Every structure is written in structure tokens, then in C-alpha cells.
């Protein structure tokens, strides 16, 4: 059975575009200005690391897709165009006013009275930019379509799940080699050097966010990169690491115990691992997404971890660009979300607990909902630095 994917074919992109057009017809939308880089890539295959650039994909309910971007990105535009990602593209130069160029572009391609969607929640469509577009092109009726495309992306195709699984294998290989480097006296920077080297060696693309590597007291910072702190004889390390394939991210979160760590750390890690296992087991098609966090909370209620646990045990996963590997919009797995779980969804199911004195433990893995239930795509959990045993 094929388990690797090199690229997405045109059938894949056509299917994605048709799904969006069906939703647009329901909402009587004539076009959408797609600004979120994850959504532009999802629909056309166009990508650039320069997500700060003023650019968008003009996606009509009928007719050709058109890209508007900076001249500096022309090679990326040409590559996506050659692959059939869109029918044409237009670039503006750095001595032009980008907003004036964008308004002129929209006037050429949108009819008066068109109902046009804007992704107002996208951080690539800040308030000033959105205001410039809507005030500059008053002939359109502007509609907020934030999360419309993101929600379509929640359910992955077989090709997307293949990319995600491949990213998971890469991520586990990176995490395993990082784990093997953990020993008293080594520093966070030593671990980061191994991690970044293996990210390249294992074939990962660049991640949407830096991996998180923390030792001892710094583990409480959760989202923190390396600062050179040395590992003690009796200590613990937290590492959140992802592999990336075709921009799909599959992270894991590991708590690694060194020597004789603080009893409170070991106990919290053990309880959180049990709670995380219960959360994974609760992933079932047809159930509301809240059951995932509720399953974790049931274990935490029955087994006091001795730490304050975040009341959200994960988020939806897939395409990621800077500054986040979790995308600009995520389905957060708290106990309130009623979204129905469907086959093809994928999540990073991760629990984070802060101990009273500031340290933290975290357990997480990437999970895809398959035909036969939840499938772990990465190996998060509690590990011992010497590799001799696991809780």
C-alpha cells in the first residue's frame, strides 16, 4: 500500500475547489478574497515563506482563480501557475502603493454589486488592510467569511492523511534522536542542535513555528525555544517537536525524565499520560468534539495530578505556515465545543499541566480519525532519558 506522497495532483485541488464553490453557492457569494496562507495553499498549491507579504487569491464562484502578489514572489507564482494552481497572476512592484494596485486589480475582475467574502479573522488581513479594500472598492457588498475555508479543511482527504502520516514518521525520528541526546550536563542548545540537524536529515520541511525545548524550571513556559539551560542530574525535559510534509504538521509532546526527578513531576506526568490516552480513545465519528476533553477531565478528577491542567486538550491540525504550525484558525478541544467528529479529522491531542512552583509537564500526539477509529500518527508520552523504561 502506498504510504508516501510527493505532491498533490490536480484532481485533489479540483475536489477542494468544488467543495468551496458549493458552500459559496449556498451563501450566494460571487467571490472570496482568500488571504490566509493555509487556505491559499489548500486551494491552489501556491506557497511562500513570506506570509507577511500583501497577497491574496481571488476565488470566484465561477471562472478562473487569480493570484495577486508582490513582484518579489513571482517565481513562487510562476511555479504554482505551471502546476495549474490558478489561471493567471498579477504582481505589484515595491515602488507602487500595494492597496492602489489591489483595488485596480479588483475593479478589473469583479463586477459591480458582487457579494465578496473577506477573511477578516486572518492575521494576513489586518484591520487597516481590510478597511483599505472595502473603502477602496465600494461597488462590492463585503461579507465576513472567516473560518469558511478553514472548516472545510477539518476533514482531510486520503492524500492529506498520507502527508500527515508521513510528517508524523519524520517527526518521531527527529524526536527519537533528540531524546537520545538528553543527559545531565547537556544544554537546551545541544538538544536544539540535534533537533534542527535531524529535521533537515529526516526530510522535514521548515515548521510553521520553532520547536519547543525546555529544561527544568523553564518547562513552565510551554511555548519557548532553547536558552542554553543545562540539564541537571535529577531533572526533566519537555520537547514539542513536529515533522512537516507538504506543509502538513504532525507534532508530538514528550516529557523526558532524567535521573530521579521531583516526585511531583513524575506523578503529574503519569496522570496526564493516562488522561491523554483516555482523550485519544474518545475520538469517535458522530460524537461531539467535547467528549475528547471530557474523557481527559474524568481521569484527572479521579486521579489528582497535583497540577493545574489547561482546560483544552488539543486542537485541529493540518496545513501550517509561520507563525504557527496549528494554522490561523483551529478547532480547540475544550468541553464546550459541539462540532461533530468526522472520519478524516486530525488533531494534536495534548495535555499541559503547571505545577505549583512553576514547572510543567506535557503529553501529546497527533491523532487522525480513520474508518476504524483513532490512529496515533506520532509517539508522544512520558520517556526516561536513558531509554530503559516508560511510565
Amino acid at each position: 500500500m502506498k504510504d508516501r506522497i510527493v505532491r498533490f495532483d490536480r484532481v485533489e485541488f479540483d475536489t477542494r475547489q468544488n467543495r468551496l464553490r458549493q458552500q459559496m453557492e449556498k451563501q450566494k457569494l460571487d467571490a472570496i478574497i482568500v488571504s490566509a496562507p493555509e487556505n491559499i495553499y489548500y486551494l491552489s498549491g501556491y506557497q511562500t515563506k513570506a506570509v507577511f507579504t500583501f497577497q491574496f487569491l481571488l476565488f470566484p464562484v465561477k471562472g478562473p482563480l487569480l493570484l495577486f502578489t508582490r513582484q518579489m514572489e513571482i517565481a513562487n507564482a510562476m511555479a504554482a501557475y505551471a502546476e495549474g494552481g490558478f489561471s493567471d497572476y498579477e504582481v505589484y512592484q515595491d515602488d507602487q502603493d500595494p492597496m492602489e494596485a489591489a483595488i485596480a486589480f479588483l475593479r478589473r475582475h469583479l463586477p459591480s454589486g458582487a457579494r465578496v467574502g473577506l477573511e477578516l479573522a486572518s492575521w494576513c488581513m489586518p484591520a487597516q488592510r481590510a478597511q483599505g479594500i472595502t473603502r477602496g472598492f465600494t461597488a462590492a457588498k463585503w461579507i465576513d467569511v472567516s473560518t469558511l475555508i478553514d472548516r472545510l479543511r477539518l476533514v482531510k482527504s486520503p492524500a492529506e492523511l498520507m502527508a500527515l502520516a508521513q510528517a508524523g514518521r519524520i517527526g518521531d525520528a527527529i524526536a527519537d534522536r533528540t531524546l537520545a541526546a538528553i543527559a545531565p550536563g547537556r544544554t537546551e542548545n545541544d538538544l536544539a542542535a540535534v533537533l534542527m540537524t535531524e529535521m533537515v536529515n529526516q526530510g522535514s520541511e521548515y515548521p510553521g513555528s520553532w520547536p519547543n525545548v525546555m529544561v527544568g524550571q523553564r518547562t513552565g513556559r510551554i511555548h519557548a525555544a532553547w536558552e542554553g539551560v543545562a540539564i541537571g542530574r535529577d531533572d526533566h525535559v519537555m520537547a514539542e517537536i513536529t515533522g512537516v510534509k507538504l506543509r502538513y504538521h504532525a507534532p508530538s509532546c514528550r516529557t523526558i525524565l532524567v535521573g530521579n526527578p521531583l516526585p511531583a513531576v513524575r506523578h503529574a506526568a503519569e496522570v496526564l499520560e493516562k488522561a491523554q490516552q483516555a482523550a485519544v480513545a474518545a475520538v469517535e465519528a458522530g460524537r461531539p468534539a467535547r467528549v475528547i476533553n471530557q474523557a481527559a477531565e474524568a481521569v484527572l478528577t479521579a486521579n489528582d495530578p497535583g497540577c493545574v491542567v489547561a482546560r483544552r486538550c488539543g486542537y485541529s491540525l493540518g496545513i501550517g505556515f509561520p507563525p504557527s504550525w496549528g494554522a490561523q484558525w483551529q478547532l480547540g478541544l475544550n468541553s464546550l465545543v459541539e462540532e461533530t467528529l468526522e472520519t478524516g479529522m486530525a488533531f494534536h491531542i495534548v495535555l499541559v499541566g503547571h505545577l505549583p512552583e512553576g514547572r510543567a509537564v506535557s503529553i501529546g500526539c497527533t491523532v487522525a480519525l480513520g474508518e476504524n477509529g483513532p490512529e496515533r500518527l506520532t509517539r508522544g508520552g512520558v520517556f526516561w532519558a536513558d531509554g530503559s523504561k516508560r511510565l
Side-chain angles (χ1 to χ4, degrees):
M1 179 180 175
K2 183 180 177 183
D3 63 352
R4 293 184 180 276
I5 184 166
V6 176
R7 50 178 285 199
F8 297 116
D9 59 26
R10 291 317 313 167
V11 173
E12 175 77 15
F13 285 112
D14 289 345
T15 300
R16 298 173 183 182
Q17 293 172 15
N18 289 336
R19 290 178 66 210
L20 176 57
R21 287 192 165 108
Q22 289 171 8
Q23 292 300 313
M24 293 172 68
E25 288 173 354
K26 290 179 182 178
Q27 298 189 29
K28 294 181 171 49
L29 291 168
D30 296 301
I32 296 177
I33 291 180
V34 184
S35 56
E38 298 88 354
N39 293 340
I40 294 175
Y41 174 73
Y42 177 76
L43 294 167
S44 71
Y46 170 82
Q47 63 167 303
T48 173
K49 192 163 65 67
V51 295
F52 49 80
T53 293
F54 178 29
Q55 59 188 351
F56 57 81
L57 181 71
L58 182 60
F59 190 101
V61 69
K62 294 180 181 178
L65 278 62
L66 303 170
L67 180 74
F68 176 83
T69 190
R70 183 185 178 202
Q71 189 279 334
M72 193 73 72
E73 303 303 321
I74 192 167
N76 291 317
M78 291 171 65
Y81 171 77
E83 293 290 334
F86 33 75
S87 298
D88 203 355
Y89 56 89
E90 183 171 313
V91 299
Y92 60 90
Q93 270 286 4
D94 285 352
D95 59 358
Q96 290 181 272
D97 183 313
M99 187 56 64
E100 289 182 2
I103 297 304
F105 173 84
L106 294 175
R107 285 174 179 157
R108 286 194 297 275
H109 297 292
L110 288 176
S112 178
R115 287 172 52 86
V116 185
L118 271 180
E119 297 181 306
L120 294 178
S122 166
W123 51 54
C124 291
M125 184 55 68
Q128 185 181 51
R129 196 170 288 174
Q131 185 180 74
I133 290 174
T134 56
R135 289 184 177 179
F137 188 63
T138 57
K141 178 175 177 56
W142 297 100
I143 312 295
D144 183 10
V145 295
S146 299
T147 79
L148 173 62
I149 302 169
D150 308 80
R151 289 184 179 276
L152 288 178
R153 292 196 293 109
L154 284 175
V155 177
K156 313 280 186 294
S157 70
E160 290 179 281
L161 292 174
M162 193 182 302
L164 200 63
Q166 200 168 336
R169 292 192 293 273
I170 292 170
D172 275 348
I174 299 167
D176 288 345
R177 285 160 178 76
T178 304
L179 170 61
I182 294 175
R186 299 260 176 93
T187 69
E188 293 169 336
N189 289 30
D190 294 329
L191 302 184
V194 172
L195 192 162
M196 299 303 289
T197 298
E198 290 301 324
M199 184 171 288
V200 175
N201 289 345
Q202 297 300 325
S204 176
E205 300 167 16
Y206 71 92
S209 177
W210 289 108
N212 300 311
V213 180
M214 298 148 286
V215 169
Q217 192 67 35
R218 286 191 72 245
T219 55
R221 300 189 185 185
I222 308 301
H223 296 113
W226 44 95
E227 286 188 0
V229 175
I231 301 170
R233 183 178 299 276
D234 302 312
D235 216 336
H236 81 291
V237 178
M238 264 179 43
E240 188 175 22
I241 297 170
T242 189
V244 188
K245 186 64 178 178
L246 296 176
R247 304 311 314 152
Y248 285 75
H249 292 60
S252 69
C253 211
R254 298 183 178 190
T255 293
I256 302 100
L257 306 178
V258 182
N260 294 303
L262 293 173
V265 168
R266 181 172 175 175
H267 172 71
E270 182 176 13
V271 174
L272 258 65
E273 185 168 53
K274 291 178 180 177
Q276 197 265 354
Q277 291 170 348
V280 171
V283 179
E284 182 180 328
R287 306 180 77 186
R290 59 178 165 77
V291 302
I292 302 174
N293 195 61
Q294 289 172 340
E297 288 186 333
V299 173
L300 297 172
T301 299
N303 305 272
D304 182 6
C307 60
V308 177
V309 180
R311 292 202 291 268
R312 186 189 82 151
C313 71
Y315 50 88
S316 55
L317 269 180
I319 302 168
F321 283 93
S324 173
W325 67 43
Q328 297 195 30
W329 178 85
Q330 307 164 355
L331 183 65
L333 301 178
N334 59 37
S335 293
L336 302 175
V337 63
E338 294 292 341
E339 191 94 22
T340 301
L341 296 173
E342 297 181 50
T343 300
M345 288 184 170
F347 304 97
H348 184 200
I349 297 184
V350 55
L351 273 74
V352 179
H354 278 95
L355 280 77
E357 41 75 57
R359 295 174 185 247
V361 295
S362 184
I363 310 296
C365 69
T366 296
V367 175
L369 180 50
E371 294 291 345
N372 299 315
E375 302 171 5
R376 290 175 177 262
L377 302 185
T378 57
R379 290 182 287 102
V382 184
F383 294 78
W384 288 88
D386 61 9
S388 61
K389 60 180 177 178
R390 185 173 175 224
L391 292 177

